Amino acid sequence: MSGGVRVLPPELASRIAAGEVVERPSSAVKELIENAVDAGATRCDVSIAGGGITSIVVRDDGEGMSEPDARLSVERHATSKLRVFDDLSRLESYGFRGEALPSIASVSRLRVQTRRRDDEAGVEVFVEGGAPSVVRAIGRAVGTTVTVSDLFYNVPARRKFLRSSGTESGHVGEVLEGAALARPTLSFTLERDGRKVREWLRAPDREGRVHQLLPEEELTLCRGERGPLAVEAWLTRPERARSGAAGLRLMVNGRPVRDRAVVTAVAQAYGSVLERGRYPRGVVYLDLPASLLDVNVHPQKSEVRFADARAVTDAVYGIVSRALASAFSLPIPSRASWGRGAAPAVDVRGWRRSERDPVDERERAPASTGAAPRVWPLAESGPRGSAPQENQIPLPTTRSSATEPAAAAAPAPRSVASGADVEARPALGASDAAPLRPGPESSWKSLRFIAQVKQTYLVCEGADGLYVLDQHAAAERVTFHRLRVQLGSKSIASQVLMFPVNLEVTPLEAELCERYGDEIASMGLEVRVRGAESVSVHAVPQLLQRASPERLFRDLLAEVSRSGGRGFSDAVDLALATMACHGSIRAGDPLSPAEASALLAALDQADFAGHCPHGRPVVTFTSWAELERKVGRR
């Protein structure tokens, strides 16, 4: 370092600060839309060119600005939302810092045209790269139009890291979707390179808006209250879940935000029917007093901080889990199975309590049929302070000694909801310890198949004891091994579909298909990009013929898109594991003795056959000596 400490020139400081607020074109669109909503607009039209890099135009029919307000709007820290610091605790508007327009103006060519209803003429303010503004009178309709041209033209270091126009357009579309969900009574349109691509007309309520954005999904309403917190969520069935939480949106006091803890609580509310890492699609609305929320924790206002985050997640989990249990006939899950202990006792506001406390009138969750709200009883949990029960216990490499075993946890029942097969994972107790393989001198093939139980478990007899195999976990391990072998030899065979499956995708997903087209084809999936938001699946791997082509494609794409930019190869194993899961024998599929024996023989060829690719144990074991003790013969 040399030259000593010095104060940065104002224009340089403003460009650096702008990077915190305006990260990419979608960030600018988000700020401009929020300004339009705060101005009382009933309609907001967004037009972009070149993914928003070339130009962004946001038009609204709000109340507009006077000439003095328009001049001040491009000055840093000029706002109409705050007067004193304590106003932050009562904030109900989107904007409040007075940074959006000046930040955008410092890294682009900004033009603001506005007019109030009572003014005879409008006003135009033009700012180029943070230079002094140029103001003139114009004629125009009531409302405001903001035009952003050549974004980051004077910050080449930031501009060169932007993605393709298709990717940036996709991010802009996601921002519009979030705004439409947050404000269902407003109309939004999106025009891309001169063509209208999306339109969200005003809806009567949140439910109407959610169904506008997810028309193809069967959604279940989960609604309830606990203390000052109100929860309203529309969620998909468990079998429609996807890898990653991109399809699950969260709105807090009408503000689109990201919060990992809340979306994880929603996924946990499905219990064992939802694998780790998979999340439902849908929208979750949380409403609570502004005094229990801090919105000033992120430069782009995409995150919030709750006064009691644990109370919020516990309330979300309790309300959603009971509504889902009723709607899908599922057993009410226990959060302890996710490695969490009992919830703490009631706090001073009375909206946080343990899972053992009875539900009072503040927590209601109506069923999806529209019936009157009812109180959902809580499942009894173990003694307060006891160690949490785990859903899965790793299997040791050798059998346990012949000591008196602890009582094994009973498998969770498999329930059927509306004709869909929903499997719940069995919980393994300490006495269920089993070898990874039947024995050092034995093989899976040597086991004698006896019967299939509940069309889920294969009961087999071995020389040393009784083996119970999870047929889905076993088939998944075999399919995964075969896929890996075929991928290594570049010989994954494809099955051409009689009729291609057409799918709607986001521009970002379409770009991923184009970028990794050869790699996707090497995995047996033939996918063709039809347009900016559509693809078609023409072939699937032969080993996975029983799986839905749409689900295979979306699971593969989800693993690739969440690989963190590390490349396609890093996501291959996860993608193969997910594809194998959905293309294998399921719980509930009847198997003949010949099919069961063939599955046992195939396990001998699979590597590490004691667990499925997702870590679930394939087999539980009971020795003859242990069985004789349990029935009183020893």
Side-chain angles (χ1 to χ4, degrees):
M1 296 179 63
S2 62
V5 179
R6 68 185 66 180
V7 177
L8 291 175
E11 63 274 11
L12 178 57
S14 65
R15 292 184 195 177
I16 295 173
E20 294 292 318
V21 179
V22 186
E23 182 184 18
R24 61 196 325 155
S26 60
S27 305
V29 172
K30 178 178 182 292
E31 297 290 346
L32 297 177
I33 290 176
E34 290 179 349
N35 283 346
V37 174
D38 286 341
T42 62
R43 182 181 182 87
C44 184
D45 300 312
V46 179
S47 176
I48 61 174
I53 303 171
T54 303
S55 75
I56 299 170
V57 181
V58 178
R59 305 178 186 87
D60 70 68
D61 60 353
E63 62 186 21
M65 292 182 285
S66 64
E67 192 268 344
D69 285 349
R71 286 179 180 271
L72 283 175
S73 67
V74 295
E75 299 294 331
R76 192 166 296 278
H77 306 306
T79 179
S80 61
K81 280 83 175 183
L82 292 179
R83 290 294 180 266
V84 295
F85 184 80
D86 288 344
D87 288 345
L88 279 173
S89 63
R90 302 182 291 269
L91 200 65
E92 295 184 357
S93 62
Y94 285 118
F96 52 88
R97 299 194 190 108
E99 292 182 325
L101 284 180
S103 295
I104 296 172
S106 66
V107 293
S108 69
R109 297 179 174 91
L110 176 72
R111 189 181 306 274
V112 180
Q113 297 176 324
T114 182
R115 176 183 161 227
R116 295 189 305 178
R117 186 173 303 279
D118 296 335
D119 293 342
E120 294 183 358
V123 60
E124 178 184 85
V125 180
F126 178 75
V127 184
E128 182 172 359
S133 60
V134 178
V135 182
R136 69 185 183 96
I138 60 170
R140 60 158 287 121
V142 175
T144 302
T145 300
V146 181
T147 303
V148 181
S149 303
D150 299 326
L151 188 63
F152 298 129
Y153 80 96
N154 55 353
V155 191
R158 174 57 62 89
R159 184 159 185 163
K160 72 179 181 180
F161 284 103
L162 295 178
R163 305 294 292 275
S164 68
S165 61
T167 301
E168 298 299 340
S169 296
H171 288 299
V172 172
E174 291 175 358
V175 166
L176 264 293
E177 285 185 0
L181 287 169
R183 297 287 177 165
T185 57
L186 274 65
S187 296
F188 295 88
T189 64
L190 174 60
E191 186 178 279
R192 184 184 305 157
D193 297 320
R195 181 173 62 93
K196 182 183 290 187
V197 294
R198 302 294 298 274
E199 183 177 38
W200 299 273
L201 299 178
R202 67 186 65 180
D205 50 26
R206 290 173 172 177
E207 183 174 10
R209 181 68 92 196
V210 172
H211 285 288
Q212 275 186 359
L213 269 74
L214 300 171
E216 76 284 359
E217 297 288 359
E218 179 185 345
L219 301 172
T220 296
L221 171 61
C222 307
R223 179 185 291 152
E225 296 180 1
R226 184 178 294 178
L229 176 67
V231 178
E232 202 171 26
W234 285 267
L235 302 171
T236 57
R237 300 181 63 84
E239 60 268 25
R240 296 289 294 173
R242 296 184 179 182
S243 298
L248 182 60
R249 291 187 173 272
L250 174 63
M251 306 286 152
V252 178
N253 286 5
R255 187 186 298 271
V257 299
R258 300 190 302 263
D259 192 293
R260 182 180 295 273
V262 173
V263 298
T264 299
V266 173
Q268 290 175 357
Y270 280 78
S272 59
V273 299
L274 205 62
E275 299 172 1
R276 288 179 183 268
R278 297 187 66 82
Y279 297 83
R281 296 188 70 196
V283 187
V284 179
Y285 291 92
L286 304 184
D287 296 290
L288 70 166
S291 59
L292 301 179
L293 193 69
D294 185 1
V295 299
N296 190 31
V297 297
H298 193 277
Q300 298 172 25
K301 296 170 287 188
S302 60
E303 298 176 7
V304 296
R305 182 172 296 152
F306 299 104
D308 194 337
R310 178 65 185 273
V312 171
T313 57
D314 285 350
V316 169
Y317 173 83
I319 292 169
V320 174
S321 63
R322 283 155 187 82
L324 294 176
S326 172
F328 300 142
S329 302
L330 302 177
I332 296 179
S334 169
R335 293 193 87 180
S337 65
W338 291 75
R340 300 190 60 169
V346 182
D347 68 1
V348 294
R349 288 186 300 277
W351 65 314
R352 186 164 98 184
R353 55 173 177 73
S354 74
E355 287 294 315
R356 298 183 65 223
D357 297 331
V359 180
D360 61 17
E361 290 298 323
R362 293 173 299 177
E363 177 174 320
R364 292 184 173 92
S368 59
T369 58
R374 53 165 292 188
V375 177
W376 302 107
L378 278 170
E380 275 296 311
S381 61
R384 213 177 283 254
S386 60
Q389 297 286 331
E390 290 293 339
N391 229 15
Q392 303 174 27
I393 296 178
L395 297 178
T397 54
T398 58
R399 286 185 293 274
S400 57
S401 60
T403 57
E404 184 64 23
R414 182 177 62 85
S415 60
V416 178
S418 302
D421 199 3
V422 182
E423 83 178 17
R425 297 182 186 174
L428 297 179
S431 65
D432 291 312
L436 293 176
R437 305 189 71 87
E441 298 178 357
S442 306
S443 63
W444 295 103
K445 186 177 181 179
S446 67
L447 301 180
R448 185 171 71 88
F449 171 69
I450 299 175
Q452 183 187 33
V453 181
K454 295 187 68 175
Q455 293 188 335
T456 301
Y457 306 105
L458 307 181
V459 181
C460 303
E461 177 185 350
D464 48 357
L466 200 63
Y467 293 80
V468 179
L469 283 77
D470 182 328
Q471 67 184 37
H472 173 64
E476 184 180 342
R477 165 51 63 181
V478 170
T479 305
F480 175 71
H481 173 75
R482 290 174 175 172
L483 284 172
R484 288 194 67 185
V485 170
Q486 291 184 5
L487 181 65
S489 61
K490 302 184 184 301
S491 61
I492 293 185
S494 296
Q495 174 66 51
V496 178
L497 301 177
M498 182 174 294
F499 301 103
V501 177
N502 297 315
L503 304 174
E504 291 186 2
V505 296
T506 65
L508 181 59
E509 291 173 331
E511 188 201 9
L512 286 173
C513 291
E514 289 183 334
R515 187 189 312 170
Y516 298 117
D518 294 340
E519 290 87 345
I520 292 174
S522 70
M523 299 181 70
L525 271 170
E526 183 183 345
V527 181
R528 301 175 189 174
V529 178
R530 295 298 188 187
E533 296 180 343
S534 64
V535 300
S536 56
V537 181
H538 292 257
V540 297
Q542 279 188 355
L543 285 173
L544 307 177
Q545 293 182 53
R546 65 171 57 235
S548 160
E550 176 182 0
R551 187 163 190 178
L552 291 177
F553 166 73
R554 293 199 184 281
D555 284 335
L556 172 62
L557 208 59
E559 296 295 352
V560 173
S561 62
R562 71 180 181 140
S563 62
R566 293 173 286 133
F568 183 88
S569 59
D570 292 325
V572 165
D573 265 5
L574 288 173
L576 288 180
T578 304
M579 293 166 66
C581 176
H582 298 147
S584 302
I585 296 169
R586 305 292 298 177
D589 291 344
L591 295 185
S592 66
E595 290 173 324
S597 298
L599 178 58
L600 291 171
L603 280 172
D604 284 324
Q605 308 301 321
D607 58 329
F608 198 51
H611 291 81
C612 80
H614 292 106
R616 293 177 56 207
V618 169
V619 62
T620 60
F621 171 79
T622 302
S623 67
W624 295 127
E626 182 179 349
L627 181 61
E628 288 174 351
R629 282 197 306 275
K630 288 184 175 180
V631 300
R633 297 184 64 86
R634 175 180 293 192

